[in-house]
Amino acid sequence: MIEYLLTTSPVLGRDLAEEIHRVVKSSLEHANKRQNAFSQRELEAYVSMYSPDEMIVLKKNPIISAFAFDNEVLVGNGFLAHGKIPDFAANGIDAFLYGVYVHPKYKGSFTGIKIYETIIEHARNCGIRTIDAFSIFEKNLRHYLSLGYRKTGEVEFTIGDFKFNFPRVELSLNPVETIAV
């Protein structure tokens, strides 16, 4: 049985950071094998953003993390950064979805959907109104759009020798309604 954990201040020790990297890498490799969007070197450069050292750094930012475990083995994760992060605040963005990653063995098990819904529900309850994201695969872009995101432009960045340009999307969340008693 898959167990889900939501945390707003993750303690990312080395072991968990390595497990996150393993899941992100296998998820992206699986998607790239099906969609053939990147060369092996480009994919390795992109995956390097999720290296254990980079993941440990995430704890310096306000973040909502959701994890899926099957018998204490990490099989999926998702991250949403929020708060007064200068890059977001300057653009009127409340939060940035780093993504939802699921080990290929668990694709089709609704694990990714559960992780995503857990993050979005918590974000809405925290008063987050706008979530920004970008899509590195065409299929993911279609999925974001089906979830109510709208395309807002492009995001461009460089990792090592590679320049990446991806569609940027934004989701407006309806605030949680409170009933006066």
Side-chain angles (χ1 to χ4, degrees):
M1 177 182 205
I2 297 176
E3 295 181 47
Y4 297 91
L5 170 69
L6 176 78
T7 179
T8 56
S9 55
V11 178
L12 293 181
R14 178 55 114 191
D15 290 345
L16 181 55
E18 287 176 359
E19 285 298 299
I20 291 168
H21 182 255
R22 178 187 59 78
V23 169
V24 169
K25 182 178 180 187
S26 63
S27 178
L28 292 173
E29 286 174 345
H30 178 76
N32 194 53
K33 192 179 296 183
R34 295 173 64 211
Q35 299 182 48
N36 200 26
F38 303 103
S39 71
Q40 185 61 34
R41 290 187 58 229
E42 289 172 320
L43 188 62
E44 288 171 4
Y46 188 81
V47 168
S48 73
M49 292 191 321
Y50 294 92
S51 72
D53 291 333
E54 293 296 320
M55 295 309 299
I56 290 170
V57 169
L58 279 179
K59 69 182 179 183
K60 294 180 180 177
N61 296 322
I63 196 159
I64 297 168
S65 303
F67 301 101
F69 295 93
D70 187 0
N71 292 318
E72 299 183 18
V73 175
L74 183 70
V75 298
N77 50 266
F79 305 99
L80 181 81
H82 64 95
K84 302 295 181 195
I85 300 171
D87 291 345
F88 303 148
N91 294 315
I93 303 298
D94 292 332
F96 180 80
L97 181 65
Y98 276 94
V100 173
Y101 303 95
V102 177
H103 189 279
K105 179 180 170 186
Y106 292 84
K107 296 284 184 190
S109 68
F110 300 101
T111 301
I113 292 169
K114 177 70 173 165
I115 291 169
Y116 174 79
E117 288 174 347
T118 300
I119 290 171
I120 297 301
E121 178 182 337
H122 187 76
R124 186 177 280 118
N125 290 337
C126 289
I128 292 172
R129 297 179 321 255
T130 307
I131 296 176
D132 196 43
F134 61 84
S135 177
I136 67 172
F137 295 110
E138 181 63 33
K139 183 177 179 185
N140 295 19
L141 175 60
R142 291 191 307 266
H143 187 67
Y144 277 125
L145 296 174
S146 75
L147 292 171
Y149 286 77
R150 64 182 180 85
K151 190 172 176 190
T152 59
E154 302 285 322
V155 60
E156 186 176 286
F157 58 92
T158 302
I159 303 173
D161 296 335
F162 301 102
K163 187 178 227 179
F164 295 95
N165 191 344
F166 302 120
R168 183 178 216 143
V169 295
E170 181 181 289
L171 177 66
S172 294
L173 297 177
N174 296 324
V176 174
E177 292 184 28
T178 56
I179 300 172
V181 199

